[in-house]
Amino acid sequence: MNVVVCVKQIPDPAAPPSLDPGTNNLIRAGKLILDDSDAYGVEMALQLVDKAGEGEVTLVSMTPNGETSGLRTALAMGAAKAILISDDSLAGTDALGTAKVLAAAIKRAEPDLILAATESTDGYTGTTPVQIAEILGLPSVTFAKKVEIDGGSLKVERQTEAGYDEVESPLPALVTVTAGVVEPRYPSFKGIMAAKSKPVETLTIADLGIDAGQVGAIGARQEITDVSASEERASGEIVVDEGDAHQRVIQFLEQLKVL
Amino acid sequence: MFEWSEEQLMVRDTIRRFIEAEVVPHIDELEHGDLPPYDIIRKLYATFGMDQMARDRFKIQLDRKRDGDAAESPVERAERQGDGGAAAMTLIPIVELCHYCPGIVTAMGVSVGLAAGTIMKQGTPAQMERWGLDLLTMDKVGAWAITEPDSGSDALGGMKSTARRDGDEYILNGNKTFITNGPYADTIVFYAKLDDGSDTPIRDRKVLTFVLDRGMPGLDQSEPFRKMGLHSSPTGELFLSDVRVGKDHLLGETEDEKKGSGRDSAKGNFVTERAGVAAMSLGLIEECLKLSVAYARDRMLWGQRIGDRQLIQLKLAKMEIARLNVQNLVFRHIELSAAGKSLTLAEASAMKLYSAQAASEVAMEAVQLFGGNGYMAEFRVEQLARDAKVFQIYAGTDEIQVTHIAKDLLNR
């Protein structure tokens, strides 16, 4: 059972983010970390491979600056190796361009299953995984809260607004997992020490046979035309108790329809 | 080494996440209640594979002991070749835990470092298997019982606990106090003077080391003491009244005082223990500084943040100086270990003396900086101040460190 997990390395959300004033793109210079939302896919993949008793987990990621810090975290959790597509021409790539690059890299790994998060924490388009599946001609199942492999087929509980759907699919397939699917493990000390010697294959887009015109800002079909600050949250209502506070609290809760 | 490496930072950040998820929600129960720390320590061990690492290390040590200590021990090899940075991997969790609960480090260090360490060093292969492994993995809790009510710093000379031969067995009597993990220990390393009926003055008698099991007839383990701080580390007394043990409980199964046994074994832990206290001080100082800087930024008085006042700035500056100095000492110890060198007794003692005093001063100044809030448990610095005080007392008091520094310098 070979599983590829698409992982994204993003600027640390704990530090204040900054946007390039020219392109409105997030500035990704410096150290990047593993997107928290990808830790669930990594953990799911590790559990599935462990249960299958054979195979390995391969990470696939893309970044303009050759950064591997985030990948090392996932390797420390237990992934066997990583493929990193790093190329100056990737700066400004949109979701579809990213999907083309990742799909080409995933093809090389010949996985039985591809896992991804439902969306990244820095971009939130949530479109790349299904585009990858489409490019590779594979079925895609989104919003999985439970993933099982039964022989050659995939069984997924797919989160919906009302509950969940039970979905079956042949393999290979692509699945996006929610944060509820599994609890990501902490990397062990041994894992952290082993991570630095695990292979990270760094490829350019030329290695993948992709034309530079299809990626980066040149190939992008999406453009961020404007960025504006989100509305500040309105301040709360302060109730001064003049003997009727309890009634006003009840009224407030009734307005919210929680009573 | 002037900063943590990428790999070390990954360990630090991972440990931090664990502490925030598993320790911080229980701080009130650990520090103001009676929650023993052992389940949290076991979870720490299981989460980071420390239990498996301990099992692997145990096997190497056991094989070596069976070979009659012929092969070079991992410790000896590390001393010759360097430890490849392993000291940092031990010290980083210590630093990080001391941001919140120094007591957890104490409970863990005594069980794994002192109790298991002594058994692994002095014990026979059978004794190592019987008691050592479970302590190294934290499946069982260990205590290391040397201090007595009438002998603290003079623990070996002033020891009154006795071991009297009775056929093939020994009868043990005595009281031990200030015993970390004493109330909960499953396995106790117990030091006693051999009473062979001769005229040898008690101060000069052989010191023997025994291993005791919880529940042995005649062995009483007290309830935890009420104490100033370090509440997450349970401390108690042990009372031995005619505890009868076979020779299989005598470490090494011999009364011969070999190198590394009895008195030597108690002293052999000095450097490791003192470097550990420096790392503990670093974590505590880092936390006090972080909390103090945040408070100095946020707290407004007379329409101005208190951080703009020079008297507050002086406190922050002194805390930063202490942090830098202690961090440099810890980094130096890590670098020396990686190079296959170790601190001299004077250096280890100086490091401990300085770090412990710095931690106490920083924590008390943090309380002062917070004013009335600093005296309240909610703001946490009062706990760190109470905890820091013990750094100047255990693992050799400040006063003992002074004598060790001087003795080492004068006797060279």
Side-chain angles (χ1 to χ4, degrees):
Chain A
M1 176 92 195
N2 288 316
V3 184
V4 158
V5 188
C6 300
V7 297
K8 190 169 185 181
Q9 303 179 92
I10 62 169
D12 191 342
S18 51
L19 297 175
D20 181 327
T23 63
N24 288 326
N25 282 327
L26 187 64
I27 294 175
R28 295 169 192 281
K31 192 182 168 188
L32 301 175
I33 66 164
L34 178 71
D35 189 337
D36 253 359
S37 65
D38 288 328
Y40 301 95
V42 174
E43 178 63 39
M44 188 73 253
L46 291 169
Q47 289 188 16
L48 290 172
V49 166
D50 196 36
K51 204 170 173 190
E54 48 85 35
E56 61 185 19
V57 177
T58 304
L59 310 167
V60 172
S61 189
M62 173 181 126
T63 178
N65 63 359
E67 175 69 23
T68 58
S69 301
L71 290 178
R72 295 287 170 207
T73 304
L75 290 168
M77 286 172 72
K81 60 183 197 290
I83 301 172
L84 176 68
I85 308 98
S86 184
D87 200 309
D88 289 343
S89 62
L90 290 171
T93 304
D94 65 0
L96 181 58
T98 305
K100 286 176 186 169
V101 173
L102 294 179
I106 290 166
K107 220 173 186 173
R108 293 164 68 106
E110 297 179 356
D112 302 302
L113 178 68
I114 304 152
L115 295 179
T118 54
E119 59 187 2
S120 62
T121 311
D122 64 342
Y124 288 109
T125 66
T127 53
T128 306
V130 286
Q131 289 172 334
I132 293 172
E134 182 65 24
I135 293 165
L136 293 173
L138 297 177
S140 74
V141 184
T142 52
F143 296 99
K145 72 179 197 75
K146 190 174 178 191
V147 182
E148 273 181 355
I149 305 294
D150 188 3
S153 78
L154 169 76
K155 286 185 177 172
V156 171
E157 287 181 7
R158 183 178 182 275
Q159 188 76 53
T160 65
E161 278 187 17
Y164 63 88
D165 295 333
E166 290 178 352
V167 181
E168 281 190 45
S169 159
L171 289 172
L174 180 142
V175 177
T176 71
V177 295
T178 67
V181 71
V182 276
E183 188 58 38
R185 72 192 63 186
Y186 294 95
S188 70
F189 289 172
K190 227 175 173 175
I192 291 171
M193 287 186 270
K196 68 177 170 194
S197 52
K198 287 186 176 173
V200 176
E201 187 184 8
T202 306
L203 302 173
T204 62
I205 54 164
D207 294 330
L208 294 172
I210 293 173
D211 181 61
Q214 290 188 43
V215 296
I218 308 165
R221 298 187 196 178
Q222 292 171 316
E223 187 187 349
I224 303 169
T225 54
D226 192 24
V227 176
S228 56
S230 59
E231 225 174 89
E232 274 191 32
R233 218 178 271 180
S235 59
E237 185 188 343
I238 297 170
V239 176
V240 179
D241 187 8
E242 287 166 356
D244 62 344
H246 62 287
Q247 282 165 346
R248 293 178 60 190
V249 169
I250 289 168
Q251 274 170 15
F252 176 74
L253 293 174
E254 279 172 348
Q255 266 175 23
L256 289 179
K257 298 190 171 141
V258 294
L259 283 185
Chain B
M1 178 179 184
F2 59 92
E3 61 185 5
W4 298 113
S5 70
E6 284 260 317
E7 193 179 54
Q8 289 161 349
L9 283 177
M10 203 192 280
V11 171
R12 187 199 70 180
D13 293 347
T14 311
I15 285 275
R16 250 180 215 183
R17 269 172 51 215
F18 175 88
I19 292 170
E20 279 159 15
E22 303 292 342
V23 178
V24 173
H26 299 293
I27 282 190
D28 275 354
E29 298 158 88
L30 285 161
E31 298 297 343
H32 299 283
D34 287 310
L35 179 71
Y38 310 112
D39 284 345
I40 289 174
I41 299 174
R42 287 183 189 118
K43 195 159 191 185
L44 175 80
Y45 265 60
T47 301
F48 295 104
M50 290 159 78
D51 49 353
Q52 189 52 49
M53 284 161 78
R55 278 183 209 105
D56 297 344
R57 223 173 26 245
F58 173 80
K59 199 177 169 306
I60 296 170
Q61 286 176 276
L62 184 66
D63 288 347
R64 180 178 170 272
K65 184 79 82 162
R66 283 187 175 136
D67 288 348
D69 290 343
E72 192 175 38
S73 76
V75 176
E76 286 165 345
R77 190 165 55 250
E79 280 169 1
R80 186 170 55 81
Q81 287 183 340
D83 68 356
M89 294 299 174
T90 313
L91 294 178
I92 290 168
I94 293 176
V95 173
E96 292 305 313
L97 282 164
C98 286
H99 281 241
Y100 292 96
C101 286
I104 292 185
V105 175
T106 305
M108 187 166 74
V110 167
S111 191
V112 175
L114 294 180
T118 305
I119 292 169
M120 296 303 287
K121 205 187 292 173
Q122 276 180 258
T124 63
Q127 290 172 327
M128 289 163 81
E129 283 186 299
R130 184 170 173 189
W131 291 295
L133 182 59
D134 286 345
L135 292 178
L136 287 172
T137 57
M138 281 302 302
D139 286 336
K140 287 197 172 163
V141 176
W144 190 74
I146 186 163
T147 301
E148 297 182 0
D150 295 328
S151 65
S153 299
D154 181 27
L156 291 165
M159 187 180 293
K160 288 181 182 160
S161 291
T162 57
R164 185 164 50 80
R165 289 192 203 108
D166 185 38
D168 284 343
E169 295 181 325
Y170 292 89
I171 295 175
L172 308 178
N173 280 288
N175 287 359
K176 297 285 178 182
T177 193
F178 310 148
I179 305 304
T180 297
N181 298 333
Y184 297 98
D186 303 295
T187 305
I188 298 158
V189 174
F190 175 82
Y191 289 83
K193 290 270 174 79
L194 177 65
D195 176 8
D196 56 5
S198 70
D199 296 337
T200 313
I202 190 157
R203 289 195 72 82
D204 302 329
R205 287 182 187 166
K206 278 184 184 173
V207 176
L208 301 183
T209 320
F210 293 88
V211 183
L212 310 178
D213 297 312
R214 183 178 189 80
M216 283 180 132
L219 168 65
D220 276 328
Q221 298 171 242
S222 76
E223 292 293 303
F225 282 139
R226 291 286 153 216
K227 53 188 198 284
M228 178 177 176
L230 217 69
H231 294 155
S232 47
S233 165
T235 309
E237 283 178 288
L238 303 174
F239 304 97
L240 277 82
S241 172
D242 290 338
V243 175
R244 182 175 284 276
V245 293
K247 208 172 182 182
D248 55 326
H249 285 262
L250 172 65
L251 271 185
E253 297 196 16
T254 172
E255 291 177 2
D256 294 343
E257 284 191 296
K258 288 188 298 188
K259 190 171 161 34
S261 72
R263 288 168 197 265
D264 245 21
S265 88
K267 290 178 181 171
N269 297 312
F270 282 166
V271 171
T272 318
E273 202 181 26
R274 288 172 191 184
V277 174
M280 294 180 78
S281 302
L282 176 59
L284 192 139
I285 290 169
E286 284 176 350
E287 189 66 13
C288 287
L289 180 60
K290 186 184 88 183
L291 294 172
S292 297
V293 168
Y295 193 80
R297 273 205 193 107
D298 293 346
R299 174 72 168 167
M300 302 292 285
L301 287 177
W302 297 284
Q304 200 181 0
R305 59 182 197 172
I306 61 166
D308 293 333
R309 308 263 169 197
Q310 287 190 340
L311 281 172
I312 298 297
Q313 291 176 353
L314 180 62
K315 292 186 197 306
L316 295 178
K318 284 184 170 175
M319 289 182 197
E320 175 65 356
I321 292 166
R323 186 194 67 79
L324 272 171
N325 282 338
V326 175
Q327 181 179 271
N328 283 339
L329 287 169
V330 171
F331 281 0
R332 181 168 181 274
H333 167 65
I334 292 170
E335 279 285 284
L336 281 170
S337 306
K341 297 176 179 174
S342 70
L343 297 165
T344 62
L345 179 63
E347 286 174 334
S349 309
M351 178 179 177
K352 196 261 181 188
L353 175 66
Y354 177 81
S355 305
Q357 289 185 342
S360 259
E361 280 165 26
V362 165
M364 286 308 282
E365 280 297 83
V367 172
Q368 192 66 24
L369 186 147
F370 274 70
N373 283 330
Y375 207 67
M376 300 297 128
E378 186 186 346
F379 289 81
R380 292 195 35 235
V381 285
E382 65 83 33
Q383 176 222 319
L384 295 172
R386 289 184 287 104
D387 288 354
K389 184 63 196 169
V390 82
F391 296 175
Q392 293 180 269
I393 297 170
Y394 72 12
T397 59
D398 278 4
E399 292 72 16
I400 289 293
Q401 306 302 329
V402 170
T403 65
H404 282 184
I405 296 166
K407 198 161 79 180
D408 191 11
L409 293 176
L410 294 168
N411 290 348
R412 281 178 194 171

